[in-house]
Amino acid sequence: MRSRQTCLLGVAGLACLLMLTMGGCDGVEDAEAAKEFNAKLGDMTVTVFPAYVRETHPHYDAAESAKIADFLRSEGHATCTLSEAEVPIAGDWGKNQAKMFRNSLKSFQEYLAAYPIDTDYALLPEYLMGRDSVGGVHVYVVARDGRVPYGTGANSHHPEFKAVDPKTAADATEVAIRRMRNELQERAGERAKAKLGTDTALTIYPVVMAGGPRKDVADVIGLMLEREGMKAHVTTETQYTPSTECTPAELGAGFSQFIRQNPPETEYALCVEFCGTPQSGPTEIRNVLVTRTGTVLWTDVQTPNDRDFKRIKPDCPMTCCVLATERLKPKFGLGGLFGPKQTSHRFEQLWQKSSNTPDEAEFAAMKQRLETLRKSAATARVLVYPPRLDEDVDRECAEHLVELLEAQGLANAVAASTDVHFEIAGSSNEQRVLWNFARAVQQHVQANPPDAEYALFADYLAGPDHVGAVHFVICDRAGDWVLVDFQNSHHDDFNQIAPQNRSDCDRLVARRLRHHLH
């Protein structure tokens, strides 16, 4: 029997006695049993016994064990049964915490051999209490056959212990839960990672970016993953909003907690963040992938110093989506010459609907109309309207375009004498901007037939020192589309001209028209 002097040691005395770093309890766990345990996480049954509280007068605390059972249930690790049986623990206090751990574990195994459980596993917490503090926290797990698949311990050397600074049995339970959460998430994570593939049920949350989370941007990532072969992913309106200027680790921890409190219907959840402002441009692209129980499987950060960032050169939400998707592809076995092919078209159909994109029949009709223009290019009268630049138009650009188009074989191109102002809403979906512009042009031409066989309208999406995209539309006199074209940094012609000003945009329109007419 230990002396009263020993059991009344304060925190400083206990810290001196319990100098062992418990780690993963090497030498205690059975390797094969641990593999089986890891494989069963999320689909196991556990009997949880009242916590054994070692102090001057040892006692059992069923209420604290119930908290651990709630943790295992709520985070999806196990189905738990609470036992009222008090497990007798032999062995005195000593200077060797590892020895105390093994002695208590042996007592637990002997009890279970005498009183078998009906569940897959049994769990027993043990708290080493000082006079005014907790000296150590142990958790023992034993399989029905007596093998030990998992055990953990913590003292003042461990971060979970330091974070709580435990003084009471309730504090000790908090240490146990934090310790188990970290270790079981790691074990569950390895299992979950092995299950990732094209059929993975994944919820993509609205992308975190300047101005607030955006579901439409998440839809873009969904479309890109679909085109690479993913089949069972969805997006959601539910928003996760992290604290401003959080670190990648804080983003992962916050999203994990958010998912535990608001679990999705799918098995996995993805948070993507685009850091930066319209002025600075993208500075970081972050991905956080978690299970529906909050286990963080993967956190990825791309900065301008990283290879994929340098290769893709993200400069807008669309190219940021490209980078985020490129980083995700290996996790789900996507991409490559022999990678999966697209079989689902849910996001593609959603994208077409949200983009105002015409149907296949209209594209086929446009192809025929373009062939007619191609045959009559040398004589057809083409009215060139001043290109749109934000809310303004530029007549000099129209005259410059006429000169360039004549050089491309449109010998009867003339500048329109009237200006047309269109109000086109901005969007991260460039296709939506393009087709909204095309429909506005169509409506104008139908209402105001030109004195020419064709009418050309251009839209330059540009800032003071940057051109993001160049769009142009050609309609016939009836207002039917003949050609709708767009160029951005993903296209060769755009990159060869590398437009920096309005004149460059004019040259790009002329280059594209030559491509279509020859």
Side-chain angles (χ1 to χ4, degrees):
M1 196 70 181
R2 60 189 174 88
S3 68
R4 182 173 179 80
Q5 181 179 3
T6 301
C7 73
L8 291 179
L9 281 171
V11 64
L14 281 170
C16 292
L17 289 175
L18 306 177
M19 291 298 290
L20 177 69
T21 300
M22 299 290 295
C25 302
D26 293 340
V28 171
E29 295 180 1
D30 179 286
E32 191 61 33
K35 289 182 181 178
E36 296 171 8
F37 177 86
N38 296 348
K40 285 186 176 180
L41 276 170
D43 190 30
M44 65 172 62
T45 55
V46 179
T47 299
V48 181
F49 289 85
Y52 179 58
V53 183
R54 259 190 208 258
E55 55 183 356
T56 307
H57 302 291
H59 65 279
Y60 296 85
D61 196 324
E64 294 305 318
S65 283
K67 294 177 183 177
I68 293 177
D70 287 341
F71 151 72
L72 292 172
R73 277 193 297 260
S74 66
E75 300 204 1
H77 293 303
T79 300
C80 297
T81 301
L82 293 174
S83 173
E84 296 179 353
E86 297 176 348
V87 179
I89 299 297
D92 295 333
W93 277 70
K95 296 182 178 180
N96 188 328
Q97 188 179 357
K99 184 177 180 180
M100 294 174 66
F101 187 98
R102 289 182 171 83
N103 286 341
S104 296
L105 175 58
K106 182 179 179 182
S107 295
F108 190 29
Q109 289 174 297
E110 291 172 348
Y111 175 85
L112 295 173
Y115 303 96
I117 55 174
D118 295 326
T119 55
D120 298 321
Y121 300 98
L123 182 149
L124 172 69
E126 179 183 27
Y127 305 152
L128 311 182
M129 307 295 293
R131 180 174 54 193
D132 55 6
S133 65
V134 177
V137 175
H138 300 167
V139 177
Y140 312 107
V141 175
V142 177
R144 186 184 300 165
D145 61 9
R147 294 179 300 162
V148 179
Y150 172 73
T152 191
N155 57 34
S156 59
H157 293 278
H158 298 90
E160 300 90 348
F161 195 98
K162 293 177 181 177
V164 176
D165 188 20
K167 301 290 193 298
T168 64
D171 294 339
T173 299
E174 178 63 21
V175 173
I177 289 174
R178 291 188 181 207
R179 184 81 173 158
M180 293 178 70
R181 174 178 290 127
N182 290 339
E183 294 180 346
L184 295 184
Q185 281 187 353
E186 182 176 352
R187 293 186 178 213
E190 293 305 315
R191 175 177 177 238
K193 287 176 184 177
K195 295 167 62 179
L196 295 176
T198 57
D199 293 320
T200 296
L202 171 72
T203 297
I204 306 172
Y205 282 75
V207 172
V208 179
M209 55 191 296
R214 295 275 297 274
K215 180 183 179 296
D216 59 336
V217 181
D219 289 336
V220 175
I221 294 175
L223 173 63
M224 291 179 177
L225 290 173
E226 181 179 78
R227 287 177 173 172
E228 295 291 341
M230 281 198 73
K231 308 170 187 176
H233 56 300
V234 297
T235 53
T236 178
E237 297 282 357
T238 303
Q239 297 182 355
Y240 166 63
T241 306
S243 59
T244 57
E245 299 183 0
C246 66
T247 65
E250 290 169 342
L251 177 68
F255 186 56
S256 172
Q257 182 179 8
F258 173 82
I259 291 299
R260 288 199 300 272
Q261 296 171 349
N262 308 276
E265 294 183 2
T266 58
E267 191 172 355
Y268 299 88
L270 174 69
C271 174
V272 180
E273 181 178 21
F274 299 161
C275 299
T277 66
Q279 292 73 34
S280 68
T283 56
E284 283 188 358
I285 308 298
R286 301 171 176 177
N287 282 316
V288 178
L289 181 65
V290 305
T291 66
R292 72 183 309 271
T293 59
T295 300
V296 178
L297 302 182
W298 177 64
T299 299
D300 182 68
V301 181
Q302 285 287 298
T303 72
N305 295 322
D306 293 301
R307 183 178 62 182
D308 282 344
F309 197 107
K310 292 178 180 178
R311 175 173 62 88
I312 294 172
K313 299 180 177 65
D315 59 358
C316 65
M318 183 65 73
T319 49
C320 288
C321 289
V322 172
L323 177 53
T325 303
E326 282 296 304
R327 300 297 297 171
L328 285 163
K329 283 163 54 176
K331 297 299 175 184
F332 296 97
L334 307 175
L337 181 62
F338 302 104
K341 304 303 179 184
Q342 180 178 0
T343 58
S344 173
H345 298 275
R346 292 178 298 108
F347 278 90
E348 186 174 295
Q349 292 165 359
L350 174 66
W351 182 259
Q352 289 176 343
K353 182 177 180 181
S354 67
S355 302
N356 251 338
T357 306
D359 58 23
E360 293 182 5
E362 178 60 26
F363 278 115
M366 289 169 61
K367 186 175 181 181
Q368 293 299 319
R369 296 181 200 122
L370 179 59
E371 182 61 28
T372 300
L373 171 60
R374 186 179 291 118
K375 293 177 179 178
S376 63
T379 59
R381 179 177 171 85
V382 179
L383 203 57
V384 179
Y385 285 81
R388 178 176 181 268
L389 296 102
D390 197 11
E391 300 300 324
D392 200 2
V393 295
D394 191 314
R395 180 159 295 282
E396 290 184 6
C397 283
E399 294 170 354
H400 184 219
L401 262 175
V402 166
E403 295 175 5
L404 295 171
L405 295 180
E406 288 176 344
Q408 302 302 330
L410 288 175
N412 205 8
V414 294
S417 60
T418 57
D419 298 342
V420 180
H421 295 266
F422 297 107
E423 292 185 5
I424 308 298
S427 172
S428 60
N429 181 345
E430 187 182 343
Q431 289 294 298
R432 184 178 182 86
V433 175
L434 171 68
W435 287 104
N436 282 349
F437 175 63
R439 291 182 187 280
V441 167
Q442 184 179 60
Q443 291 170 8
H444 174 81
V445 173
Q446 289 173 345
N448 305 276
D451 182 21
E453 285 87 352
Y454 298 97
L456 185 152
F457 294 80
D459 186 10
Y460 300 162
L461 283 66
D465 56 1
H466 174 76
V467 176
V470 172
H471 301 167
F472 73 92
V473 177
I474 296 179
C475 286
D476 61 21
R477 183 181 286 125
D480 292 325
W481 292 315
V482 175
L483 179 61
V484 177
D485 187 272
F486 75 103
Q487 288 283 298
N488 57 37
S489 58
H490 293 286
H491 300 97
D492 291 340
D493 284 343
F494 185 98
N495 291 325
Q496 287 180 16
I497 289 183
Q500 301 297 316
N501 52 48
R502 301 177 183 187
S503 179
D504 290 341
C505 295
D506 298 339
R507 292 195 298 114
L508 180 56
V509 171
R511 184 188 186 98
R512 292 298 299 162
L513 195 53
R514 181 180 64 186
H515 168 81
H516 289 292
L517 293 180
H518 293 87

